[in-house]
Amino acid sequence: TGKFRLETGMFNPLLGKSYGEISDESRSMHKSQGFGSSSSRGEAPEYLQLLKGDFPKTDLLQGVNTTWSRIKGGMAVGKLLQQALKQYNPANPASVVPVLLQAHKALSKLPDSGWKKVKEQELNAAIKACLGLFLEASAQENSASPGQKVSWQLEAVNRSQVPVTLVIVTLGFNNQDSLIQTTLEPNKPLIWRASVVIPDSTPFSQPYWLQKPGTTGMFRVDVQQDIGLAQNRAAAQVTFQVLVQGQTLAFTQPVRYKRTDPVAGELYQPFEITPPVFVDLSEKVYLFTNAQPKPVTVRVRAGQDAIKGQVSLQVPVGWRAEPASAPVSLGRKGEEIAVTFQVFPGNAEVEGELTATVSVAGQTYTQGLKTIEYPHIPTQTLFPKAVAKSVKMDLQRKGQRIGYLMGAGDEIPASLEQVGYDVELLQVENLNAAQLAKYDAVVVGVRAYNTLDRLQFQQPQLMQYVFNGGTLLVQYNVSRGLVTPQLGPYPLELSTDRVTVEDAPVRFLQPNHAVLNTPNKITEADFKGWVQERGLYFPSKWAPEYQAILSSHDPGESPKDGGLLVAKYGKGYYIYTGYSFFRELPAGVPGAYRLFVNLLSIGK
């Protein structure tokens, strides 16, 4: 009582699905978090509590005018659109074009407003669809650099019997107009090519939310109108101006790269403006635990033909790179070359940066190239700066051989190799306690107990390895969907407890425990500079055999003591941790390395 019942499980006969099915399909597109969902059908009521205003009786928007009459002079437009809706014939959509054109003329007479602009675009799209009017501008290549001359293919097809005249085509960048004045014969394509020079001042197609440095948890976007766009505006556009029954309509189309895949067929992706050359570092973080130099490989890739220049590596003050620079020569677009520098660290412990640069024709470029391409989203192209974190730190370790069982995937194996460990990737089906004995420690990757079904059968092998004297370090798992509830040698229960504030204070519950003292002394300073979070899915209950080592919590919340549990089992040690080492080690956080190495070194 006192609540409005809203039915969300209704079936839409035009779509052939219920809204619940559509929402479940949408949830299943959230690929990165494994949110695949089975569809639900039938009634699904939601209840809304009235906070202010009159209580609706039959409809949530009861009493709210959603018709064209709310706009001054809009009733005429609304009547014409209703007439078009009644006369619409799916077998001959073009039959309502005359009425839609009348509505377009009436709409143009209304006072200017934001909504008028939106409705003009929507009405233009409806007219174009009813005409079956195909307009396209496609590039021969997926990218080009400022100053380059590019060729675009333009195509126009009128797939209706309504006369359409193509009057003017305006090309992007310089608003170059081509007077066409050609009647589009029904279902006969008009195809031609146009050449355009990309102005030198054209910005690169970096996503708008990455164009300026942001702050913690926040992007910086200076252009207010861009905020909320799913992707960048088109790098180049072509406007087709047509004449239909005496009315002039303009349709703006993005320039897109089109190709034919032998399996998927015709595919499109955005046409991008890119630097003429890209530069990338092979690693995100370089760790130096002594004075010995390390090789740093820089990859240079041509963004256009005939690239000649110099590549160099900028290092922190007191460090040096050999050679100081190296020549690069690339003949064709897409060609790559690798240049290796020897980097000599300074004596002091420091956190700095290595930056790769390429100088070409008097210009210096530091952008890399990253393409995000999945079937369910448009292709995204990023130009991240070619910079890597460099860390000189004092790190002691015990043991050498590490076995690593990957879970949902992380970068910790490469991080451990950076500090000198020999890391071997394990296969869950081959886990054997006797064979595992050769490793000084075995690490189980994040969410392994959520993703590796065979672990429910191989878990005894891991426990036997610990009992025989091994060290097993298990990283965080999600509390739901575990393949086995027996994660350790003694009972422990995962929860959704987490510490989201990355600089939340950390208390030492067992300050004299070996993992906080050997071989590296852990202090409060080791928890500075953590990224994104402290940890997640901490155990909330555990057997007395476990020792809770650390405690932390978000502001205003209760202490979370289960983030790092250590238990002696037989001759070995079992460790469970929800602390986010999988984020901290790839980010080059020195304190996280020291603590993780201590965990691997326990008992040695």
Side-chain angles (χ1 to χ4, degrees):
T1 60
K3 295 182 179 180
F4 180 76
R5 185 181 189 274
L6 179 67
E7 178 56 58
T8 66
M10 293 179 294
F11 177 75
N12 187 317
L14 294 178
L15 300 176
K17 296 178 181 178
S18 69
Y19 295 108
E21 289 175 294
I22 296 171
S23 69
D24 290 328
E25 290 178 5
S26 172
R27 180 182 173 91
S28 298
M29 297 304 286
H30 191 351
K31 306 294 186 182
S32 64
Q33 295 296 311
F35 274 11
S37 175
S38 58
S39 294
S40 58
R41 299 163 186 84
E43 64 177 7
E46 296 285 348
Y47 295 89
L48 304 177
Q49 178 71 50
L50 181 69
L51 297 179
K52 190 176 180 180
D54 298 328
F55 194 89
K57 295 181 180 179
T58 57
D59 184 81
L60 187 61
L61 296 179
Q62 185 176 348
V64 179
N65 184 5
T66 60
T67 70
W68 277 89
S69 65
R70 67 188 292 183
I71 300 175
K72 185 178 180 180
M75 289 188 65
V77 179
K79 288 180 180 179
L80 288 168
L81 293 177
Q82 284 296 321
Q83 179 183 342
L85 183 62
K86 291 179 181 179
Q87 295 180 1
Y88 179 73
N89 178 6
N92 183 20
S95 63
V96 297
V97 167
V99 182
L100 293 178
L101 288 172
Q102 292 180 52
H104 186 275
K105 189 173 184 179
L107 178 58
S108 67
K109 296 178 180 179
L110 298 183
D112 289 338
S113 68
W115 276 114
K116 176 185 175 181
K117 185 176 182 180
V118 170
K119 292 304 175 183
E120 282 180 330
Q121 292 173 345
E122 292 177 350
L123 186 52
N124 276 9
I127 294 172
K128 180 172 175 285
C130 289
L131 287 170
L133 183 60
F134 179 82
L135 302 171
E136 181 181 81
S138 59
Q140 302 302 107
E141 294 188 76
N142 66 334
S143 65
S145 301
Q148 278 191 281
K149 186 176 183 179
V150 295
S151 176
W152 295 340
Q153 177 174 288
L154 308 177
E155 183 174 356
V157 189
N158 173 22
R159 294 173 289 187
S160 75
Q161 297 300 316
V162 177
V164 176
T165 299
L166 183 59
V167 182
I168 295 175
V169 175
T170 303
L171 304 180
F173 300 123
N174 55 8
N175 291 326
Q176 175 185 341
D177 288 343
S178 297
L179 188 63
I180 305 297
Q181 204 67 35
T182 300
T183 299
L184 298 178
E185 299 294 336
N187 212 33
K188 292 185 178 180
L190 177 63
I191 301 174
W192 72 104
R193 293 189 181 278
S195 295
V196 178
V197 176
I198 301 174
D200 292 335
S201 60
T202 306
F204 302 141
S205 300
Q206 179 81 308
Y208 69 86
W209 58 93
L210 298 177
Q211 291 173 6
K212 297 288 182 67
T215 55
T216 302
M218 188 71 65
F219 295 117
R220 175 183 169 184
V221 181
D222 292 340
V223 181
Q224 180 72 23
Q225 291 83 353
D226 286 347
I227 296 176
L229 295 178
Q231 57 184 324
N232 270 6
R233 302 179 192 275
Q237 299 181 129
V238 171
T239 300
F240 298 83
Q241 193 176 104
V242 302
L243 189 67
V244 184
Q245 296 187 354
Q247 285 199 51
T248 299
L249 304 173
F251 301 103
T252 299
Q253 301 294 121
V255 178
R256 297 183 296 173
Y257 169 61
K258 180 172 70 172
R259 64 186 177 89
T260 302
D261 183 89
V263 176
E266 193 172 66
L267 296 177
Y268 292 86
Q269 69 183 68
F271 173 72
E272 310 280 12
I273 306 300
T274 74
V277 64
F278 308 104
V279 59
D280 284 293
L281 289 161
S282 56
E283 303 289 344
K284 297 177 182 177
V285 176
Y286 291 90
L287 294 168
F288 297 80
T289 59
N290 52 45
Q292 295 300 310
K294 276 193 173 185
V296 174
T297 299
V298 177
R299 302 196 67 84
V300 182
R301 177 176 179 175
Q304 64 181 46
D305 295 342
I307 290 294
K308 288 188 177 182
Q310 292 281 327
V311 59
S312 59
L313 189 63
Q314 299 175 9
V315 299
V317 176
W319 296 32
R320 76 177 194 275
E322 294 182 358
S325 65
V328 291
S329 179
L330 301 169
R332 297 180 59 189
K333 179 179 179 178
E335 185 180 347
E336 290 189 3
I337 188 173
V339 179
T340 299
F341 296 84
Q342 290 294 324
V343 175
F344 295 78
N347 295 322
E349 291 193 29
V350 66
E351 294 182 51
E353 290 183 344
L354 304 178
T355 303
T357 64
V358 177
S359 298
V360 176
Q363 296 289 325
T364 299
Y365 301 93
T366 61
Q367 296 94 342
L369 175 65
K370 182 176 182 180
T371 302
I372 301 174
E373 190 171 11
Y374 293 98
H376 62 292
I377 62 173
T379 300
Q380 298 279 320
T381 303
L382 320 179
F383 309 115
K385 187 175 180 181
V387 61
K389 186 174 182 179
S390 58
V391 179
K392 173 68 187 305
M393 61 183 293
D394 179 24
L395 181 69
Q396 305 298 318
R397 59 183 176 83
K398 296 181 179 181
Q400 184 65 32
R401 300 189 69 181
I402 304 296
Y404 202 99
L405 179 63
M406 295 291 285
D410 59 57
E411 300 175 42
I412 286 186
S415 299
L416 296 179
E417 289 175 341
Q418 280 256 20
V419 296
Y421 283 110
D422 297 328
V423 183
E424 298 179 31
L425 298 183
L426 307 176
Q427 301 299 319
V428 63
E429 58 270 17
N430 296 330
L431 294 179
N432 179 280
Q435 295 179 1
L436 293 176
K438 64 184 178 182
Y439 299 111
D440 296 305
V442 171
V443 181
V444 178
V446 298
R447 303 209 309 269
Y449 288 91
N450 300 120
T451 59
L452 302 178
D453 288 339
R454 290 288 295 273
L455 260 181
Q456 60 184 305
F457 306 111
Q458 297 291 68
Q459 181 72 350
Q461 296 295 328
L462 291 174
M463 294 301 99
Q464 187 62 48
Y465 161 73
V466 177
F467 190 83
N468 293 343
T471 297
L472 179 66
L473 195 164
V474 177
Q475 297 178 84
Y476 101 93
N477 288 269
V478 176
S479 54
R480 65 182 183 277
L482 294 168
V483 299
T484 175
Q486 303 298 325
L487 300 184
Y490 312 110
L492 63 84
E493 184 177 316
L494 300 186
S495 70
T496 57
D497 289 347
R498 62 180 65 208
V499 182
T500 60
V501 178
E502 55 265 50
D503 57 359
V506 176
R507 294 187 300 113
F508 294 2
L509 302 177
Q510 302 286 339
N512 297 322
H513 198 283
V515 297
L516 297 180
N517 293 277
T518 304
N520 304 284
K521 178 67 176 179
I522 304 301
T523 68
E524 291 182 3
D526 288 306
F527 292 93
K528 293 181 179 179
W530 283 46
V531 298
Q532 190 161 335
E533 62 195 350
R534 284 291 188 212
L536 60 171
Y537 291 99
F538 289 178
S540 57
K541 297 179 182 178
W542 53 88
E545 289 83 358
Y546 294 103
Q547 286 185 289
I549 308 299
L550 301 173
S551 179
S552 185
H553 61 86
D554 284 327
E557 295 192 358
S558 60
K560 305 297 186 289
D561 297 347
L564 179 57
L565 303 177
V566 180
K568 191 80 168 65
Y569 180 59
K571 298 178 181 180
Y573 288 89
Y574 175 89
I575 302 168
Y576 186 91
T577 180
Y579 281 89
S580 59
F581 292 104
F582 71 102
R583 300 195 196 279
E584 313 312 321
L585 268 59
V589 179
Y593 271 93
R594 278 190 275 266
L595 179 54
F596 202 85
V597 167
N598 278 13
L599 298 176
L600 299 179
S601 303
I602 190 171
K604 297 174 181 60

